[in-house]
PDB file of all heavy atoms in Angstrom:
ATOM      1  N   ILE B 621     188.470 100.220   1.809  1.00 97.00           N
ATOM      2  CA  ILE B 621     187.122  99.813   2.178  1.00 97.00           C
ATOM      3  C   ILE B 621     187.162  99.334   3.619  1.00 97.00           C
ATOM      4  O   ILE B 621     188.023  98.526   3.976  1.00 97.00           O
ATOM      5  CB  ILE B 621     186.648  98.669   1.266  1.00 97.00           C
ATOM      6  CG1 ILE B 621     186.513  99.201  -0.161  1.00 97.00           C
ATOM      7  CG2 ILE B 621     185.322  98.097   1.736  1.00 97.00           C
ATOM      8  CD1 ILE B 621     186.303  98.119  -1.154  1.00 97.00           C
ATOM      9  N   SER B 622     186.267  99.843   4.453  1.00 97.00           N
ATOM     10  CA  SER B 622     186.198  99.353   5.825  1.00 97.00           C
ATOM     11  C   SER B 622     184.735  99.114   6.183  1.00 97.00           C
ATOM     12  O   SER B 622     183.889  99.985   6.011  1.00 97.00           O
ATOM     13  CB  SER B 622     186.881 100.323   6.782  1.00 97.00           C
ATOM     14  OG  SER B 622     186.518 101.664   6.515  1.00 97.00           O
ATOM     15  N   LEU B 623     184.477  97.898   6.654  1.00 97.00           N
ATOM     16  CA  LEU B 623     183.099  97.429   6.838  1.00 97.00           C
ATOM     17  C   LEU B 623     182.670  97.571   8.293  1.00 97.00           C
ATOM     18  O   LEU B 623     183.494  97.680   9.196  1.00 97.00           O
ATOM     19  CB  LEU B 623     183.012  95.960   6.417  1.00 97.00           C
ATOM     20  CG  LEU B 623     183.677  95.618   5.072  1.00 97.00           C
ATOM     21  CD1 LEU B 623     183.609  94.113   4.821  1.00 97.00           C
ATOM     22  CD2 LEU B 623     183.015  96.380   3.932  1.00 97.00           C
ATOM     23  N   HIS B 624     181.385  97.528   8.529  1.00 97.00           N
ATOM     24  CA  HIS B 624     180.850  97.623   9.890  1.00 97.00           C
ATOM     25  C   HIS B 624     179.661  96.682  10.017  1.00 97.00           C
ATOM     26  O   HIS B 624     179.303  95.983   9.063  1.00 97.00           O
ATOM     27  CB  HIS B 624     180.468  99.063  10.221  1.00 97.00           C
ATOM     28  CG  HIS B 624     179.528  99.682   9.233  1.00 97.00           C
ATOM     29  ND1 HIS B 624     178.166  99.502   9.302  1.00 97.00           N
ATOM     30  CD2 HIS B 624     179.752 100.439   8.130  1.00 97.00           C
ATOM     31  CE1 HIS B 624     177.598 100.143   8.301  1.00 97.00           C
ATOM     32  NE2 HIS B 624     178.539 100.717   7.566  1.00 97.00           N
ATOM     33  N   ARG B 625     179.048  96.681  11.197  1.00 96.00           N
ATOM     34  CA  ARG B 625     177.987  95.709  11.489  1.00 96.00           C
ATOM     35  C   ARG B 625     176.785  95.857  10.560  1.00 96.00           C
ATOM     36  O   ARG B 625     176.022  94.920  10.378  1.00 96.00           O
ATOM     37  CB  ARG B 625     177.566  95.804  12.953  1.00 96.00           C
ATOM     38  CG  ARG B 625     176.899  97.113  13.314  1.00 96.00           C
ATOM     39  CD  ARG B 625     176.772  97.265  14.819  1.00 96.00           C
ATOM     40  NE  ARG B 625     175.893  96.274  15.428  1.00 96.00           N
ATOM     41  CZ  ARG B 625     174.578  96.314  15.407  1.00 96.00           C
ATOM     42  NH1 ARG B 625     173.975  97.317  14.800  1.00 96.00           N
ATOM     43  NH2 ARG B 625     173.844  95.398  15.989  1.00 96.00           N
ATOM     44  N   GLY B 626     176.642  97.053   9.943  1.00 96.00           N
ATOM     45  CA  GLY B 626     175.517  97.270   9.038  1.00 96.00           C
ATOM     46  C   GLY B 626     175.829  96.875   7.592  1.00 96.00           C
ATOM     47  O   GLY B 626     174.947  96.919   6.733  1.00 96.00           O
ATOM     48  N   THR B 627     177.075  96.495   7.313  1.00 97.00           N
ATOM     49  CA  THR B 627     177.438  96.124   5.940  1.00 97.00           C
ATOM     50  C   THR B 627     176.968  94.698   5.652  1.00 97.00           C
ATOM     51  O   THR B 627     177.333  93.770   6.362  1.00 97.00           O
ATOM     52  CB  THR B 627     178.973  96.178   5.744  1.00 97.00           C
ATOM     53  OG1 THR B 627     179.461  97.401   6.264  1.00 97.00           O
ATOM     54  CG2 THR B 627     179.327  96.065   4.270  1.00 97.00           C
ATOM     55  N   SER B 628     176.162  94.553   4.610  1.00 97.00           N
ATOM     56  CA  SER B 628     175.637  93.216   4.301  1.00 97.00           C
ATOM     57  C   SER B 628     176.442  92.566   3.184  1.00 97.00           C
ATOM     58  O   SER B 628     177.164  93.236   2.434  1.00 97.00           O
ATOM     59  CB  SER B 628     174.176  93.318   3.877  1.00 97.00           C
ATOM     60  OG  SER B 628     174.102  93.971   2.622  1.00 97.00           O
ATOM     61  N   GLU B 629     176.280  91.260   3.085  1.00 98.00           N
ATOM     62  CA  GLU B 629     176.925  90.497   2.019  1.00 98.00           C
ATOM     63  C   GLU B 629     176.445  91.001   0.645  1.00 98.00           C
ATOM     64  O   GLU B 629     177.234  91.132  -0.290  1.00 98.00           O
ATOM     65  CB  GLU B 629     176.569  89.024   2.211  1.00 98.00           C
ATOM     66  CG  GLU B 629     177.246  88.095   1.249  1.00 98.00           C
ATOM     67  CD  GLU B 629     176.842  86.644   1.467  1.00 98.00           C
ATOM     68  OE1 GLU B 629     176.125  86.355   2.453  1.00 98.00           O
ATOM     69  OE2 GLU B 629     177.230  85.807   0.639  1.00 98.00           O
TER      70      GLU B 629
END
Side-chain angles (χ1 to χ4, degrees):
Chain B
I621 294 169
S622 45
L623 313 176
H624 54 84
R625 66 192 295 282
T627 312
S628 69
E629 184 181 354

